[in-house]
Amino acid sequence: ISYAANSQMSWCLLTAISTQDQGRTIDGNMQLYSVEKKQQQMLEGHAGGFGNVLTADNESPSGLFAFMERKAGSLQTKLHIMDVTKPRGEGLPAPFKVQSEVAMPPEAQSDFAVALHLSEKHGVIFVVTKAGFAFMFDVATATMLVRTRVSQDTIFISTYSPKTGGCIFVNRKGAVISAAVNEPAIVSYVMNQLVQLPNRQDVAFNLARRFGLPGADELFTRQFSHYFASGDYKNAALVAAQCKSGVLRTPQTIQQFKSVQAAPGQSSPILQYFSTLLEYGKLNALES
């Protein structure tokens, strides 16, 4: 039913479905293939995909593979996200890997994913199911952020939209539906509406700083103050640079860094501040 490959064309995924009981249940099977190693791995599930997404600070995007696992004869669904491009070996840090159990809607327990898309623009995963439900997950933690019904009719095809960082899908009646991140609202929504998530502050803050999303100025200010007070001027400068609203790019911040004496043998904090800002973009009129 679908075929996917990563941007380096080093990994491929072939997905198929079958039934053993005249359509009462639909089994999914995926063939994950490494071009470099010429090896395959069989997975049970209905949807998967690839993408290059930031999962940590001070690193380039990870070459990720994600899939929704559903074993034959079971209604348990799991989301797996892993870096398949990072070198593996003794003495090397373990590649990025997270997973979570996915709660399907109570009214559609046997529903299953028909498409999965990683948003390189916003650091989330979109999943669309056969019964017309859309899910959105945080890539870095596999935390479910959204589950809502978007179509009363069966979804049969979808594609990723690089322009919006979301996805476009078509249902059985021919309706074309688009799903994307609401950039001005997503961070505030995670912090204030998802009260059931104990890690919501971390999820919101990481989405804001890694993907330039607004709505976390208070968190940025608090983090900046924490690093500065502890003498970690490099990370304080990094937080100021990552805060896209510019709330920390003020004369007061410059004066704070200027007032700190450099430790022997180290560059001055104010120099660290300006060099970090330049790594993440341009200086504003005040800083120039």
Side-chain angles (χ1 to χ4, degrees), residues 1-4 13 15 17 30 45-50 66-69 77 79 102 104 111-118 124-137 150 154-161 166-170 177 179:
I1 60 170
S2 68
Y3 178 79
L13 180 72
T15 305
I17 58 174
M30 294 181 280
H46 300 85
F50 301 94
F67 73 100
M68 294 283 276
E69 180 187 53
T77 302
L79 172 64
V102 179
M104 300 304 284
D111 192 18
F112 58 88
V114 294
L116 181 152
H117 304 286
L118 288 94
V124 298
I125 288 176
F126 289 95
V127 171
V128 183
T129 72
K130 183 175 183 289
F133 287 87
F135 292 73
M136 188 172 76
F137 300 89
V150 292
T154 301
I155 304 295
F156 74 93
I157 193 169
S158 79
T159 186
Y160 176 63
S161 171
C167 62
I168 301 168
F169 44 96
V170 183
I177 304 164

Side-chain angles (χ1 to χ4, degrees), residues 235-264:
N235 271 318
L238 181 63
V239 169
Q242 289 176 327
C243 182
K244 300 301 181 185
S245 73
V247 69
L248 293 168
R249 306 274 290 271
T250 64
Q252 289 80 10
T253 298
I254 294 174
Q255 195 55 45
Q256 272 186 273
F257 280 99
K258 275 185 175 179
S259 66
V260 180
Q261 294 293 320

Side-chain angles (χ1 to χ4, degrees), residues 93-257:
F96 171 83
K97 185 177 184 180
V98 292
Q99 68 176 52
S100 66
E101 189 166 335
V102 179
M104 300 304 284
E107 67 271 33
Q109 286 291 299
S110 61
D111 192 18
F112 58 88
V114 294
L116 181 152
H117 304 286
L118 288 94
S119 174
E120 301 179 355
K121 185 176 182 180
H122 296 125
V124 298
I125 288 176
F126 289 95
V127 171
V128 183
T129 72
K130 183 175 183 289
F133 287 87
F135 292 73
M136 188 172 76
F137 300 89
D138 171 49
V139 165
T141 60
T143 302
M144 184 168 69
L145 306 179
V146 174
R147 184 187 71 193
T148 186
R149 190 156 208 167
V150 292
S151 172
Q152 296 298 320
D153 297 288
T154 301
I155 304 295
F156 74 93
I157 193 169
S158 79
T159 186
Y160 176 63
S161 171
K163 182 179 179 180
T164 65
C167 62
I168 301 168
F169 44 96
V170 183
N171 69 16
R172 189 170 56 187
K173 288 188 176 177
V176 180
I177 304 164
S178 173
V181 167
N182 183 349
E183 292 185 356
I186 180 64
V187 171
S188 174
Y189 165 78
V190 172
M191 284 195 298
N192 301 316
Q193 300 299 317
L194 302 183
V195 294
Q196 75 278 14
L197 299 180
N199 63 335
R200 64 185 182 279
Q201 296 260 334
D202 291 336
V203 170
F205 186 55
N206 287 330
L207 285 173
R209 64 200 183 106
R210 289 175 187 161
F211 303 98
L213 296 168
D217 285 356
E218 184 182 337
L219 291 179
F220 276 106
T221 303
R222 195 184 311 155
Q223 196 79 346
F224 174 84
S225 299
H226 167 74
Y227 282 132
F228 202 95
S230 61
D232 189 347
Y233 305 117
K234 184 174 178 58
N235 271 318
L238 181 63
V239 169
Q242 289 176 327
C243 182
K244 300 301 181 185
S245 73
V247 69
L248 293 168
R249 306 274 290 271
T250 64
Q252 289 80 10
T253 298
I254 294 174
Q255 195 55 45
Q256 272 186 273
F257 280 99

